[in-house]
Amino acid sequence: MAKSITKVQAHLFLVGASFAYGANYNVAKIVMPDYVQPKGFILMRVIFAAVLFTVIHRIFIKEKIESTQDYRRLVFAAFFGACLNMITFFEGLSLTSPINASVIMVSSPILVLIMSAIILNEKVTAKKVVGIVLGLAGALILVGMNGFDFSSGTAQGDILVIVNACSYGYYLILIKPLATKYHPFTILKWVFIFGAPMVLPFGIMDLVEAQWHTFTPEVIGAIAFVLIGATCITYLFNAISLQVLNASTTSFYIYFQPLIAGAIAVFLFGEQPRWEQLYATILIFTGVALVSNWKTKSN
């Protein structure tokens, strides 16, 4: 498919996605685990997205996948982008704080650079290596704040969020070749159609057991935001941006999320950041500054 947007427009789409992702850390906490368990909420997201993208695609796009190899790539993208990514994020978020989760997610662009070097044979400079080391050091500080004791505190949730970061980074690398070939609605239709049966065994019981009659207007609004804003819109905006930007550049916009999520956590929930989180943030953003100086033709 021909490129239909400019790079400036692509960056604006990513800014919009970053705000939705940043708010999602706190808004999702309104719903789970008191009203819907994490895996049930994931199933809601995947089914809703599959239905919405399928309907829009059938009415307006009507584009077909050209090869078995592309279908295979979409299956893998569904596993890493709509199954493992969401399960580890929501499970992790239920076991850690919004600030912890948002700061750890900053490691995702660094992980994308590592995977790009391994999978796409992209050159890794000394500056990149230093940035990667600093960023990962910051993530390890967050995980180690409880002494790496997975039975207490937030360490288990922190580990799951790191797995989420790796999974989503790999998802971006998987769909990049597809984004320059197919319409974003075509890609996302199949990602969520393939993802739904993967998530179904994990989330069906949580969804069935949800006490729907107890949902308040605030809870319903939070669910609507997560389904539409933090799922459909963010996935769509990222897929659109990948038409003209590479996966590494797209992942860089995760750097906005700790600022957004942290501000919301402090403003709405009165949460206070710890000194360890401040040190980790400084390390991660120093790594970001070094890595983001990497110049490339596709940025």
Side-chain angles (χ1 to χ4, degrees):
M1 188 186 76
K3 296 178 182 179
S4 57
I5 63 171
T6 66
K7 286 186 177 181
V8 172
Q9 290 172 327
H11 285 289
L12 291 175
F13 276 117
L14 291 176
V15 170
S18 296
F19 274 93
Y21 274 132
N24 185 47
Y25 290 104
N26 295 285
V27 175
K29 282 277 193 178
I30 297 174
V31 181
M32 63 176 203
D34 293 338
Y35 294 92
V36 181
Q37 292 299 313
K39 288 188 285 292
F41 204 9
I42 294 164
L43 184 58
M44 289 176 62
R45 294 181 70 187
V46 174
I47 290 177
F48 180 85
V51 172
L52 181 62
F53 285 126
T54 297
V55 170
I56 294 175
H57 181 271
R58 177 163 294 186
I59 296 174
F60 298 105
I61 311 302
K62 301 177 181 179
E63 182 181 44
K64 294 183 179 180
I65 302 299
E66 297 177 0
S67 68
T68 301
Q69 182 179 1
D70 288 343
Y71 273 117
R72 187 181 301 114
R73 182 175 286 269
L74 285 166
V75 170
F76 279 103
F79 174 75
F80 286 101
C83 180
L84 182 63
N85 165 52
M86 289 193 183
I87 288 175
T88 53
F89 173 74
F90 275 90
E91 286 291 334
L93 187 58
S94 69
L95 297 171
T96 189
S97 70
I99 291 179
N100 264 32
S102 60
V103 173
I104 291 172
M105 280 300 296
V106 175
S107 66
S108 181
I110 300 170
L111 295 170
V112 171
L113 287 177
I114 295 174
M115 289 185 286
S116 295
I118 296 173
I119 298 170
L120 304 177
N121 296 318
E122 292 183 355
K123 184 179 179 181
V124 177
T125 64
K127 186 177 291 186
K128 287 185 195 177
V129 172
V130 174
I132 288 170
V133 171
L134 291 176
L136 292 182
L140 289 175
I141 287 176
L142 287 174
V143 175
M145 285 195 307
N146 295 296
F148 292 94
D149 181 3
F150 293 173
S151 64
S152 65
T154 63
Q156 184 177 0
D158 295 338
I159 286 288
L160 288 172
V161 176
I162 289 177
V163 174
N164 158 256
C166 295
S167 177
Y168 189 73
Y170 188 52
Y171 161 78
L172 291 177
I173 291 174
L174 282 170
I175 69 167
K176 170 57 182 177
L178 299 174
T180 57
K181 187 176 182 180
Y182 299 106
H183 194 282
F185 282 108
T186 303
I187 297 170
L188 295 176
K189 165 192 171 181
W190 289 110
V191 164
F192 284 102
I193 284 177
F194 288 140
M198 296 178 186
V199 176
L200 185 64
F202 298 97
I204 186 63
M205 290 308 301
D206 286 346
L207 203 56
V208 170
E209 294 173 357
Q211 301 298 309
W212 303 94
H213 64 280
T214 66
F215 288 12
T216 65
E218 180 187 27
V219 172
I220 294 173
I223 291 174
F225 173 83
V226 173
L227 295 183
I228 299 172
T231 304
C232 295
I233 290 178
T234 54
Y235 274 78
L236 178 61
F237 283 4
N238 281 326
I240 291 173
S241 71
L242 283 169
Q243 293 176 356
V244 294
L245 302 177
N246 59 35
S248 298
T249 302
T250 299
S251 69
F252 286 167
Y253 277 81
I254 290 175
Y255 302 153
F256 283 97
Q257 295 179 23
L259 299 176
I260 298 167
I264 293 174
V266 171
F267 182 75
L268 293 181
F269 300 98
E271 184 172 332
Q272 296 296 323
R274 293 167 54 181
W275 283 110
E276 295 95 329
Q277 291 169 325
L278 176 60
Y279 298 146
T281 302
I282 292 172
L283 282 173
I284 291 173
F285 274 89
T286 301
V288 166
L290 292 171
V291 171
S292 62
N293 281 333
W294 172 38
K295 295 181 180 180
T296 176
K297 293 181 180 180
S298 178
N299 57 12

